[in-house]
Amino acid sequence: MKKDDTTLLPRFKKYLVKQDLSERTVKGYLDDLRFFSEWYEEIQNKKINWTKIKSFDLQTFRQYLVTGKRQKVAAVNRRIQALKRFFSWAHHFKLMKGENPIEHLRFMRRQAPSQPQALTKTEVHSLLRVVGQSSHGLSKRNYAILQLMLQSGLRIGEVIRLRFSDTTLLPRSGMVSIVNSKGHKSREVPLNVTARQALKHYFNQLGRKVTDSSDDFIFYSKRKEPLSLRSLQSMIQNIARRAKLNRIPVSAHTLRHTFATNYLRANPNQLVELAQLMGHDSLTTTAVYTKSSPTQLAEAVEKSEINIYGDH
C-alpha cells in the first residue's frame, strides 16, 4: 500500500473537523468508512487501497448492504453519504487519480415518509400521572422535563444543555433560548403557561428564583451531575413502561412529534411557524407532520363508505 493511502482517513478526519461538524457526525462518517474497508478486505482478502477503489466496488457494497445485511434505506444511504463525502474530498484535492468512483453511485430511493407517531391525549395524561410518582424527589424535575418537551418540541440534546440563563419566565409569557443547537444555529422558543408553571415549581424546589441568570445547568441527576443524554432517554422509557404505554415506542422523539402534531392541529396553516419553532432548515422536514397517519386514513375510508346494499 502506498504511504499516502494510509494517511487518507486521518487527513479526512481533520478536514471534517475543520468543517465545524459535531463529534458525533465525524465519528459516524469514519465508522461507516471503516465498515466499508472491513467488508472490502474480507471479500478481496487484501488490505484496502482507497486510491484504487472503483465504481464497481461501491455498487457491489451497496448491493451487499441491501441483500446481504438487509439494511433499511436510511442506513444504506447513510453509509453511501459517508463514501460520497470521502471520495469527493479525495478527488477534489487530487489525492487520487482518474474518475471519481463515487460519481455514479446513487442513493437508495425511499418511500415518502409517513407521519411520525405521536401520543394521544389519554397517553399523555397517563405519562404525566406516572411522572408524579417518581422517586428520589425527582417528580418535579421529571414533570418539568416532560412538559417542556411536550409543550415546546425541544430536542433531547437541547433539554440537557439548558442553563438558567437560557430561560425567561414572566407572569404572562416565557421563552427558552436554544444556543448552539443542531446545525450550530440558535433560536428562541416561546413557553406556554403549562411549561412555565412546570419549570417554576421545579425552580422553587431547587431554591432558585425564576429570574436566575446563572450559567448553571437546569437539569441534574440524583447524584447532582448534569443530566446525560442516556439518563434522560432511560428516564422517558422507564416512565412510559410504568404508564403501560405500548401502542407505539415512546422516546424523546415521540414527545417532540407529539408537540408538532398537536401544534398543527391547533394551527393548521402554520407550517412555516412550526419549522421555526422546531429548528428545521427545510419545510420538507416539517411537512411530514401534514401527512395522514394510517389511523386517520382508515377513519377517513370508514366515513366515505357508500351505504347502498343491493341483492347478492
Side-chain angles (χ1 to χ4, degrees):
M1 190 188 310
K2 293 181 180 180
K3 183 178 180 181
D4 286 346
D5 179 63
T6 63
T7 66
L8 283 184
L9 286 187
R11 291 169 69 181
F12 181 60
K13 179 180 179 179
K14 290 182 180 178
Y15 165 78
L16 293 176
V17 171
K18 288 182 179 179
Q19 300 305 302
D20 202 23
L21 299 177
S22 69
E23 290 183 14
R24 183 178 178 182
T25 300
V26 173
K27 182 179 183 300
Y29 277 131
L30 296 176
D31 286 346
D32 286 334
L33 290 171
R34 291 189 189 101
F35 184 89
F36 171 78
S37 68
E38 288 170 3
W39 166 82
Y40 180 87
E41 290 175 358
E42 182 177 349
I43 65 169
Q44 296 289 343
N45 195 28
K46 64 179 181 180
K47 283 287 186 180
I48 189 171
N49 184 333
W50 290 99
T51 65
K52 299 296 184 182
I53 296 298
K54 303 299 182 185
S55 179
F56 175 78
D57 298 319
L58 299 174
Q59 292 171 4
T60 304
F61 175 65
R62 184 182 65 178
Q63 192 62 33
Y64 161 73
L65 295 177
V66 175
T67 60
K69 298 291 289 183
R70 301 188 68 82
Q71 292 192 343
K72 294 182 179 179
V73 172
V76 175
N77 284 345
R78 190 199 71 222
R79 297 195 190 279
I80 292 176
Q81 174 61 27
L83 290 166
K84 278 183 173 291
R85 188 144 193 174
F86 171 75
F87 283 108
S88 295
W89 163 80
H91 193 263
H92 175 75
F93 288 101
K94 303 186 186 312
L95 301 175
M96 55 192 310
K97 297 179 180 180
E99 184 183 44
N100 184 353
I102 206 71
E103 187 173 343
H104 301 296
L105 188 68
R106 300 286 178 259
F107 288 110
M108 297 288 295
R109 295 183 62 180
R110 66 177 75 196
Q111 293 181 333
S114 58
Q115 184 187 61
Q117 293 180 306
L119 297 175
T120 64
K121 286 187 177 181
T122 301
E123 290 169 334
V124 169
H125 289 157
S126 297
L127 202 65
L128 295 175
R129 185 173 62 250
V130 169
V131 170
Q133 303 166 3
S134 298
S135 59
H136 306 292
L138 297 177
S139 59
K140 283 186 171 59
R141 184 205 70 175
N142 293 350
Y143 186 81
I145 289 173
L146 261 64
Q147 285 289 23
L148 187 59
M149 300 182 80
L150 286 165
Q151 306 296 339
S152 65
L154 298 187
R155 298 180 177 95
I156 186 171
E158 295 169 346
V159 171
I160 64 174
R161 288 194 297 269
L162 274 180
R163 300 172 186 267
F164 287 96
S165 57
D166 297 328
T167 63
T168 302
L169 298 177
L170 302 174
R172 295 183 178 276
S173 64
M175 189 85 68
V176 289
S177 298
I178 306 302
V179 182
N180 196 31
S181 62
K182 188 175 181 181
H184 301 285
K185 296 179 181 179
S186 301
R187 72 186 192 281
E188 291 189 334
V189 181
L191 297 176
N192 61 23
V193 64
T194 300
R196 296 199 306 271
Q197 287 297 329
L199 283 173
K200 286 178 182 178
H201 290 317
Y202 174 55
F203 284 11
N204 287 338
Q205 183 187 51
L206 296 177
R208 298 273 193 162
K209 296 181 179 180
V210 295
T211 55
D212 193 329
S213 60
S214 72
D215 283 332
D216 294 341
F217 286 106
I218 293 178
F219 299 112
Y220 283 83
S221 69
K222 59 186 178 183
R223 295 190 179 93
K224 306 303 180 184
E225 298 171 347
L227 198 61
S228 69
L229 202 68
R230 182 174 296 180
S231 296
L232 183 47
Q233 289 171 330
S234 177
M235 182 268 282
I236 293 171
Q237 290 169 355
N238 287 337
I239 290 174
R241 184 170 60 252
R242 285 163 46 206
K244 298 180 180 179
L245 302 184
N246 49 30
R247 181 180 62 87
I248 60 174
V250 180
S251 65
H253 257 359
T254 312
L255 305 184
R256 182 168 158 85
H257 295 329
T258 300
F259 163 76
T261 300
N262 288 330
Y263 181 90
L264 280 184
R265 283 175 184 165
N267 309 279
N269 300 316
Q270 293 192 11
L271 196 62
V272 173
E273 290 80 357
L274 177 59
Q276 182 177 344
L277 289 171
M278 299 191 74
H280 288 161
D281 290 330
S282 169
L283 280 182
T284 303
T285 306
T286 318
V288 70
Y289 294 105
T290 65
K291 294 181 179 292
S292 297
S293 67
T295 301
Q296 291 170 325
L297 290 174
E299 290 174 352
V301 170
E302 286 291 340
K303 291 178 182 178
S304 67
E305 180 185 6
I306 301 174
N307 291 310
I308 301 176
Y309 299 94
D311 295 331
H312 295 279

